[in-house]
Amino acid sequence: MTIKDTPEEWEIRATETPFVGNKTSVRTDDVVMPDGTVVHRDYQVHPGSVAVLALDDADRVLVLRQYRHPVRQKLWEIPAGLLDVPGENPLHAAQRELYEEAHVKAEDWRVLTDVYTTPGGCDEAVRIFLARGLSEAEGERFEVEDEEADMELARVPVDELVRGVLAGELHNNCLVVGVLSLVAARAGDGVDALRPALAPWPARPFEA
């Protein structure tokens, strides 16, 4: 038995979009179940995201502390952002987010992992990159606003982040998945065996 996710689409008898927001929307599908019954399934339609585990030469991860209103907490996170343009190259989006949120650039990029954040209620797909060879970006700093205007920036050792994740002190999905994936990659074939930065991404196809 091969343990691998596979594409599949059950019949949809009807669909509507009762809410359309600035970046996301809510869709209701009438889906035919295996026994022939039809049930409503409500879910958030999301453009997709990228995130960057930026690792410096001292084995520290670049993290940001940002207020997240839905959970009423300030969370430590890794740089991340939406795929604002359909078909946008995720590597280019990740490079942009690293520049805008941290004013940093990286020489070496790999795909760390791809995840669906909450597949029971949202179609958001996230590609998490590993970025190494960090240096200060050139030019003016990007002007942030809203929640980002209050962001804090830090560089934290990988071991300290792992401890915080396992202690239940760090909760951001991309940070948790990214840090633990890095540890798993190191314990396996090594980070140089990770997929290239432009590896195909069926969840959000793009032009290389």
Side-chain angles (χ1 to χ4, degrees):
M1 180 179 180
T2 301
I3 304 299
K4 181 179 180 180
D5 298 335
T6 55
E8 185 166 341
E9 187 168 352
W10 292 0
E11 180 185 354
I12 299 173
R13 292 282 174 84
T15 186
E16 60 178 286
T17 306
F19 170 79
V20 177
N22 185 32
K23 297 292 185 181
T24 66
S25 60
V26 173
R27 182 176 297 161
T28 299
D29 290 340
D30 291 346
V31 186
V32 180
M33 297 289 107
D35 64 359
T37 60
V38 178
V39 300
H40 295 294
R41 288 291 178 261
D42 303 319
Y43 59 99
Q44 183 184 20
V45 178
H46 193 285
S49 306
V50 291
V52 185
L53 190 93
L55 187 68
D56 70 14
D57 292 339
D59 208 40
R60 300 175 302 175
V61 176
L62 194 155
V63 291
L64 311 162
R65 189 169 182 245
Q66 184 173 343
Y67 176 66
R68 292 301 187 183
H69 185 71
V71 295
R72 308 300 198 273
Q73 290 195 30
K74 275 191 171 183
L75 301 180
W76 285 104
E77 308 179 351
I78 57 177
L82 297 175
L83 292 168
D84 294 311
V85 180
E88 183 176 15
N89 185 305
L91 174 60
H92 298 166
Q95 291 169 332
R96 180 188 68 234
E97 292 300 330
L98 185 60
Y99 164 75
E100 291 182 356
E101 295 192 349
H103 201 65
V104 166
K105 62 181 180 179
E107 295 299 321
D108 185 86
W109 291 81
R110 307 293 174 102
V111 175
L112 192 51
T113 191
D114 300 322
V115 294
Y116 290 113
T117 54
T118 49
C122 179
D123 72 350
E124 181 184 14
V126 181
R127 168 155 281 188
I128 303 176
F129 290 91
L130 173 65
R132 296 178 295 171
L134 308 185
S135 61
E136 189 80 3
E138 301 170 355
E140 296 292 325
R141 282 188 171 272
F142 182 77
E143 187 173 340
V144 297
E145 59 184 12
D146 301 328
E147 289 92 342
E148 292 183 351
D150 189 51
M151 279 196 314
E152 302 171 48
L153 179 65
R155 296 192 181 205
V156 181
V158 172
D159 290 347
E160 177 62 18
L161 292 176
V162 171
R163 186 207 62 78
V165 168
L166 299 180
E169 298 169 356
L170 299 170
H171 307 88
N172 174 260
N173 182 292
C174 291
L175 184 148
V176 171
V177 172
V179 167
L180 297 186
S181 293
L182 173 64
V183 172
R186 286 174 165 177
D189 295 330
V191 294
D192 289 333
L194 291 169
R195 287 173 291 161
L198 294 177
W201 189 17
R204 294 292 185 274
F206 63 93
E207 292 290 335

